[in-house]
Amino acid sequence: MPSRRSALTLLAGGSAALVLGAAPAAHARPGTHRPFGRHGSPARRLDAATLYVDARGRGDHRSVQAAVDAATGTGRTLVIAPGTYRETVDIPADRTGLTLIGASDDPHDTVIVYANANGTPRPDGSGTYGTSGSATVTARPAGLTARGLTFANDWLRADHPDYTGTQAVAIKVTGDRSAFYGCRFLGHQDTLYADSPTLTDFARQYYRDCYVEGDVDFVFGRATAVLDRCHFRTLTRTDLAAPPYGFVFAPSTAGANPHGYLVRHSRITTTAPDGYFKLARPWVPSSDLTAHPMLTVRDSRLGAGIDTDEPYGTMSAGFPWQDQRFAEYRNTGPGARVTVPANRPLLTASEARLHTPASWFGDWRPRA
């Protein structure tokens, strides 16, 4: 039987399991002699702004962080060869316009993974990492684009039953005009942290054809984010005997921001029993008690894992979900059934016309 760690990928329906060994490790497909595929190579560089990453030494750098460190200036591209890169990556804000590409174009092949949690002690004895510090990848620059990559945090509760800080972020994104295409985000609690650098920065982010899995609040933060044609997968929890197992979304939209999370043309499936998950709950952080969380889920298929009687929950006393900006429109599937009308805030057709990517993004038009 596979461990829960290897099950992170198996549950995603991956064609290749995560190979999680000592860093750095890379595992190209058998017979692959062109690790960078159609994206050139150090000998046939597409342009001077492109750097190549391969843990086997066939690129400019063996680790993603080393390539990020070298990619100074704007408009650089990192092509990453297939493999499992066990490392944390911090992309500074001054790497504007950076593009990260998984060389095979299949996100199962190129994985950036680590295993820190909120409660993991820092090596220097200065305390624990905290939620933000647990991120495998921290992406700060504006204009970031990522294609065909997996971002994962394989920290497991079962390995650390004494931890109370079980948040373990796969990626934290704070830059404006950040776009992810065909990427996977794997974890359990707090997998995808779609956020902004400050309360007054309304960072716009676009996720298209992506896969996200987890259990508690596994898409969360205060970004202005559109998640388009994405697949959200709720995971079984062996540490709990009864529902709820968790929540898919936990937006913490700033009160002054007119746009929070918009989910459209997507689907939610589950490995857990029917009705064991909530669709969302609002996150009002102690650092921003003026937050007014916003989430619209529209034109999407909600699987049987969603609790239809009480699809929303409340995280903090004094900030009930009913006081937040939650809405749905034209969803289908067993999890979208309206069994208690008061618990399903539905948009009218005229209201729904304002809940679109164009409204969310203003003058920015990410590639469709």
Side-chain angles (χ1 to χ4, degrees), residues 61-199:
H61 301 279
R62 289 179 176 270
S63 73
V64 179
Q65 185 64 61
V68 167
D69 293 343
T72 56
T74 63
R76 304 298 295 271
T77 297
L78 307 185
V79 179
I80 308 171
T84 299
Y85 296 84
R86 178 162 283 280
E87 58 178 303
T88 59
V89 179
D90 193 329
I91 308 174
D94 63 2
R95 268 56 169 181
T96 54
L98 181 69
T99 297
L100 307 177
I101 299 175
S104 76
D105 301 317
D106 183 342
H108 294 85
D109 294 337
T110 308
V111 180
I112 307 171
V113 59
Y114 209 71
N116 283 331
N118 178 331
T120 301
R122 292 181 180 273
D124 62 5
S126 62
T128 60
Y129 280 102
T131 298
S132 292
S134 74
T136 297
V137 175
T138 302
R140 309 175 193 272
L144 177 81
T145 300
R147 306 177 191 277
L149 292 166
T150 291
F151 304 91
N153 189 318
D154 64 352
W155 185 90
L156 297 176
R157 296 183 187 93
D159 294 343
H160 305 276
D162 55 321
Y163 279 35
T164 56
T166 58
Q167 298 88 347
V169 177
I171 187 170
K172 180 177 182 179
V173 185
T174 60
D176 185 36
R177 294 176 288 107
S178 297
F180 294 79
Y181 300 97
C183 290
R184 298 194 308 157
F185 307 92
L186 309 183
H188 284 269
Q189 183 171 356
D190 292 7
T191 304
L192 171 57
Y193 196 170
D195 204 43
S196 69
T198 70
L199 290 177

Side-chain angles (χ1 to χ4, degrees), residues 299-340:
D299 302 299
S300 295
R301 179 172 177 77
L302 311 185
I306 300 301
D307 178 356
T308 56
D309 290 343
E310 296 183 6
Y312 301 96
T314 293
M315 185 181 300
S316 303
F319 302 99
W321 74 263
Q322 293 89 344
D323 292 346
Q324 314 309 323
R325 295 176 286 177
F326 285 177
E328 299 179 54
Y329 183 67
R330 290 196 316 194
N331 293 320
T332 60
R337 289 188 303 113
V338 179
T339 57
V340 182

Side-chain angles (χ1 to χ4, degrees), residues 231-236 268-274 276-277 303-306:
H231 179 189
F232 305 93
R233 184 77 155 168
T234 61
L235 300 179
T236 297
I268 299 174
T269 63
T270 189
T271 66
D274 292 356
Y276 268 48
F277 271 85
I306 300 301

Side-chain angles (χ1 to χ4, degrees), residues 261-286:
Y261 287 173
L262 171 62
V263 179
R264 65 179 211 141
H265 304 304
S266 296
R267 61 189 172 117
I268 299 174
T269 63
T270 189
T271 66
D274 292 356
Y276 268 48
F277 271 85
K278 307 288 189 186
L279 185 60
R281 64 177 177 174
W283 177 31
V284 178
S286 59

